[in-house]
Amino acid sequence: MKNTILGAACLLLFASAAHAATATSGSFGALADGSKIESVTLANDKGMSARIITLGATLQAVIVPDKNGRREDVTLGYDKAQDYLTRPNYFGVSVGRYANRIGKARFSLDGKTYALAANDGPNSLHGGPKGFDKRIWTIENTASGPEARVTLSYVSPDGEEGFPGQLRATVTYTLNEQNELRIDYGATTSRPTVVNLTNHAYFNLSGNAARDVMGHLVTLKAERFTPVDPTLIPTGERRPVAGTPFDFRKPTAIGARIRDARNAQIRIGRGYDHNFIVDGKSGDMRTAAIVEDPVSGRVMEVRATAPGIQFYTGNFMDGTYFGKNNRAYRQGDALCLEPGTFPDAPNRADFPSARLDPGKAYINAMIFAFRNR
Ligand code: GLA
C-alpha cells in the first residue's frame, strides 16, 4: 500500500516536472451574432504566456517578464472578440490568404486573371475585406509537456475572396521553456493558387503599451529593402539600406530617423511600412530582427524562414483604437514584424514565388524569442 502511494506520488512529481508548459482552454466570449469564440492559453514555468483565440487564429496576448520579473503584455489587441471585427486593425491576427498587398487587386495565374476586392485604395490588402483574420478557426488539438502547443485550422473554399483553389490552412503556436513562441503556418490547395500567411502581432516591449516604441532599438538583418509606390506597392527595386533611414544593420532607435522627410520612402510610408529582404537563405530559420526596450530590459529576437519581413510602425493608428488595459493606441505605439514573401509577389515574376500547387505543402515558420538584457 505504502509503496503504491509512494509510487503514485513519484509518478505525479515526474509528470508535473515533465509537463512544465501547459495549454489551457477557455472562452473568449461571443461575437455580436452569437458565435462563440474559444481561447487557448499557453504558459511556461518562466512566467511567459500567450493567449490564442479562434477568431482569426489571433495571438490576443503575450505576457513576458521584464528585467525585474514584472509580467506584462507586450502586444496590442482587444479585450472583446467583437472589437476585432468592428475596429479591425489586424492586431495579432493570422493574415491570409495573401498577407500584405496585391497591386490593383488582381493577378494572373496560368494565363487566367483573378479579380479581388480592392480594400486598400486600388489594391487588395491582407486577403480582402473578409480575410482569414475575420474567420473563426477550428482548434485541432492542444498539448502540454516540455512545450505547450495549439493547432488551429481554417478551410477556405475555392473562390473565396476571389482566390482560386480550396485552401486548407493550419497554424501551430508553440511555447517552450526558453521563452520562445514559435508560429508555424501551413497550407495545401486543391488548385494552383497564391498564398502568404503570417502573423500580424503589434509589439510594444514597454509592457501594457505604457510608452510608444520610438525608443525601442531595432536591428534588421537586411542589406536591402523593397521601396514602394505611393499606394505601398513595391516598385520592383531592391534598394541597399546603406546610407538611408532604412539601415537597421546596427541597433537603432525607431524614432531616430522616422521623421526624416528628406527620404521619399519615409514620406510615402508615414514612417516605416516596408518589406525588408532578410539576409541569408529563405527556407532556413535565421535571425531576421532584434528589438530591445532599454527601459524594461525586454529583448525580442525574431527568427524566420521567409524571404522578407514587413516592418510597420503602426502609422495608421490614430488614437481611435481602444485596446486592452484601457489604452488608446496612437501612431508609433507598436511595431509589427511580419515574416512572409514580398508584397505583390503574385504580379512579379522576379520576386520569391507565392504560388502553391496541389500536392505541395506551403510552410512559413517564425520564432519570437524573448529574453532580458
Ligand atoms: C500592414 C500594412 C500596413 C497596414 C497594416 C494594417 O502591416 O503594411 O500598411 O495596412 O498592415 O493596418
Side-chain angles (χ1 to χ4, degrees), residues 179-326:
N179 282 0
E180 292 170 344
L181 178 67
R182 180 177 171 125
I183 311 179
D184 288 276
Y185 285 99
T188 56
T189 184
S190 65
R191 287 209 287 143
T193 191
V194 295
V195 58
N196 189 31
L197 307 179
T198 194
N199 188 276
H200 206 307
Y202 284 64
F203 292 102
N204 181 324
L205 302 185
S206 71
N208 299 345
R211 296 179 303 280
D212 67 37
V213 298
M214 290 302 117
H216 283 31
L217 304 175
V218 168
T219 307
L220 293 174
K221 303 279 187 192
E223 293 283 338
R224 284 162 198 272
F225 74 110
T226 53
V228 287
D229 73 13
T231 74
L232 298 178
I233 294 295
T235 59
E237 191 193 344
R238 301 175 187 227
R239 186 178 294 172
V241 296
T244 78
F246 293 81
D247 188 351
F248 283 94
R249 292 173 299 174
K250 296 210 172 70
T252 309
I254 294 177
R257 301 161 303 182
I258 200 168
R259 290 178 177 80
D260 187 351
R262 289 168 304 181
N263 187 285
Q265 287 297 313
I266 288 282
R267 293 202 303 270
I268 289 176
R270 309 177 181 199
Y272 298 104
D273 193 354
H274 294 80
N275 168 61
F276 286 71
I277 302 174
V278 182
D279 295 343
K281 203 165 136 264
S282 70
D284 289 352
M285 184 62 86
R286 63 222 192 281
T287 300
I290 300 167
V291 185
E292 183 173 336
D293 173 28
V295 183
S296 69
R298 290 188 183 93
V299 179
M300 178 179 79
E301 181 173 331
V302 185
R303 299 178 209 126
T305 58
I309 193 162
Q310 183 82 8
F311 175 45
Y312 170 61
T313 43
N315 313 331
F316 294 112
M317 293 194 292
D318 60 3
T320 65
Y321 297 92
F322 309 121
K324 297 178 282 189
N325 302 301
N326 294 314

Side-chain angles (χ1 to χ4, degrees), residues 95 98-102 124-127 196 198 232 234 273-275 310 338 341-344:
V95 197
Y98 198 89
N100 217 311
R101 292 176 175 79
I102 297 180
S124 163
L125 176 68
H126 293 332
N196 189 31
T198 194
L232 298 178
D273 193 354
H274 294 80
N275 168 61
Q310 183 82 8
E338 311 153 50
T341 192
F342 302 178
D344 202 30

